[in-house]
Amino acid sequence: MAKPAIISVHGQFPRNVIPNTEHDLNPTNWEWKKFLAFPVSRLNDLRFSLKPYKWIRYATGVVIGAQGELCTECNSPNPTPIDYNSELSAVSIDLFYHTTDQEKRQMFPIDPRLGDTRTVTSSRVSTRREDFRESVESRDRCCVVTGYPAYVCDAAHLLPHSKGDTV
């Protein structure tokens, strides 16, 4: 039986992140990581878009938090974007999401073990905090993602409770 065709999307992520500073844009600080995989048969079944590569580019931008282009080359100085109007590949392919330095500055990398609920960083059991929003507002004064004033935002856990709930 043949393996199902998969479209794998790779993005560049910083090797080192220093909180509350801009990302180091030195190319040696960035590495390609596979972070999305789409089974072609599932995309064909779901029909999210008449132009599926445009939808994949959109979904990738949402996950990374930066605009970019899907290309088949990873290390070319001037990669050519794929044909967004083409049909999905019938064989597995790797796509690389290229972003500009300006977009890299805006990225908001998250913990790569975010979904691993087996990793607990808190040694105590805690209950839901009634004053969570007030504590976050007091600490951050504004949205850490958008920079909007706290009074127009909702507070949300960006990390699962299993990673700890210290505000």
Side-chain angles (χ1 to χ4, degrees):
M1 182 175 206
K3 285 181 140 181
I6 304 287
I7 297 173
S8 298
V9 182
H10 304 256
Q12 282 190 302
F13 293 93
R15 294 176 193 267
N16 299 305
V17 177
I18 301 170
N20 303 314
T21 64
E22 284 192 9
H23 299 307
D24 177 359
L25 297 178
N26 183 320
T28 62
N29 186 47
W30 293 79
E31 61 185 336
W32 289 104
K33 294 282 189 178
K34 178 177 145 183
F35 69 99
L36 290 173
F38 300 98
V40 172
S41 62
R42 191 77 174 124
L43 288 174
N44 284 330
D45 291 345
L46 293 172
R47 296 190 181 272
F48 285 124
S49 172
L50 295 174
K51 299 186 180 187
Y53 285 115
K54 282 188 175 184
W55 182 86
I56 292 170
R57 179 180 60 182
Y58 167 76
T60 300
V62 168
V63 171
I64 286 187
Q67 292 181 5
E69 297 290 342
L70 293 171
C71 306
T72 57
E73 308 107 353
C74 67
N75 293 321
S76 173
N78 295 309
T80 304
I82 64 166
D83 179 1
Y84 293 108
N85 296 314
S86 65
E87 297 291 321
L88 288 173
S89 174
V91 297
S92 293
I93 60 169
D94 288 311
L95 296 176
F96 299 88
Y97 192 70
H98 289 268
T99 57
T100 64
D101 282 351
Q102 180 179 350
E103 289 294 319
K104 285 179 182 172
R105 285 186 185 98
Q106 299 174 37
M107 287 177 60
F108 189 74
I110 59 173
D111 180 354
R113 295 171 301 280
L114 182 64
D116 185 358
T117 58
R118 297 169 297 165
T119 305
V120 178
T121 57
S122 177
S123 60
R124 65 181 176 87
V125 176
S126 61
T127 59
R128 180 177 286 191
R129 294 178 56 153
E130 294 293 327
D131 61 343
F132 176 72
R133 186 187 190 293
E134 291 81 13
S135 296
V136 171
E137 183 176 356
S138 174
R139 181 192 67 196
D140 298 332
R141 309 241 186 264
C142 67
C143 175
V144 297
V145 177
T146 66
Y148 291 157
Y151 69 88
V152 300
C153 301
D154 290 322
H157 281 275
L158 296 177
L159 299 175
H161 289 281
S162 66
K163 298 286 185 180
D165 69 349
T166 303
V167 174

